Amino acid sequence: MRDFLKLMTAVRPGSVLLVAILSFATIAGAQDSAGTINWPIYQDMAVSLMQQYLRINTSNPPGNEIETAKFFKTIFDKYGIQNEIFEYKPGRANILARLKGNGSKRPIILLSHMDVVTADPAAWQIDPFSAEIKNGSIYGRGALDMKNEGLLHLMTMILLAKEGPQLSRDVIFVGTADEEVKDEGSIWMIANKADLFRNAEYLLTEGGDNLLENASVKFVGVDVAEKAPFWLQLTATGQAGHGSRPIADSAPNRLVRAMARILDYQTPIKLLPAVEKFFRDVAPLQKEPWRSRFASITESLKDPAFVKELTGEREYNFLLRNTISLTMLDGSKQTNVIPNTASCNLDVRLLPGEDPKEFLATLTRVINDSTIKIQNVNTFKPPNSSPIDTELFQTISRITKIHHPEALITTKMLSGYTESQLYRQLGIIAYGWAPVYTTVEENEGVHGNNERITVKNIREGTREFYDVVVQISR
Ligand SMILES: [Zn+2]
């Protein structure tokens, strides 16, 4: 089986060989999961537990994840799954549960954060903590980010405990607090309890980028890398005075000149392996001439005209370079007062592998004004990535193809941050993936209003997620 799969990754889409291998995989996969499991029972249970989970208000701040940790504990206890809550400060808790394998393979971690961002009930059609089902969707804060995935992880643990085969590796469920604000939960776990999971080979969490269009799965993007925020503040100082008598090198003037230089500056184009794969994989979805340009992206990027056109598209630009967005601006509070300081904040996002010191040195040269102070104003976490040529990536691709033969499966680098970054530092291969397929409109609910997930996603996702974990843990 493995030799076939290795071959599969070496074959370009569209070849006859690929089709043959996929149908082989389909038969094998169906035999693996069709067996004795009574799926409707578990799928009903998944919908009910999803509603219960969404009704627990873990808006962060304040979080109060101890309540969701207790919710999970009750269920794990019921199914005899070893588990422990870690309340690292009052009301803030992580939970870890484990199903033991025979140890022939290293563990896999199913990681989800239990906190959610706040919601303004007045802006929602349905109470954000009601978990009401309307038109086939369950509404609730966290329905997509990411209580849905926590629920799929929970169902996988239950299914493995009740129905699963002998596992080759430990399957570890981790629910964390505070991802949406400061990541205290995961940082605490890694600082204090890493012995419980440090030897893991794989980790699955949020971050996948899947697209549902006209009721079919168009695209499955497994997140293998994320960019890292490197927030900067620029402060200019100068002589203060009355607005009626201009000062040529005032703080605001200096700042604006510096900002103009930054806006004119183009960060260099860099093509990471995961991004190269992404462009090659999505090439067949493009119209010419982009189809052939994407297919040979390395070559194409040597053409300045193409680079200009491609990076003019927001969805592609961030994949290819460090980016700089000017966001906050601060100067005088009064029109007729020239202030002695003026400042702006830049939301800089660095590619995996980048050195912030080097970036800062370059930016200092670009600004070319030694009187302007540049400060880093967030906690920088080095961006990283995971390899693509793994058994887990192959398993996700194979199982997804079984359930959604029409889907294109590729890698995706996120512009945002996920907890994968923290766990990769332990040497764990971490991906953002879940079998949850949403439309562009549904995605607006993430950190927005009317966040919801279809009942179909919960029902079918329960099975697909289990299939992947069971396959990788045989
Ligand atoms: Zn999230």
Side-chain angles (χ1 to χ4, degrees), residues 73 147 180-181 202 216-217 228 275 290 317 334 337 408 441:
K73 181 168 187 47
K147 285 183 169 170
E180 296 287 4
V181 179
Y202 295 123
S216 81
V217 179
V275 177
W290 281 34
N317 182 49
Q334 274 181 270
V337 173
L408 185 144
E441 195 207 342

Side-chain angles (χ1 to χ4, degrees), residues 113 115 144-146 179-180 206-207 417-418 446-447:
H113 63 82
D115 61 321
L144 294 176
D145 181 13
M146 62 174 295
E179 189 273 347
E180 296 287 4
E206 65 183 342
Y417 164 87
T418 77
V446 176
H447 291 218

Side-chain angles (χ1 to χ4, degrees), residues 35 270 320:
K270 293 179 185 175
L320 295 162

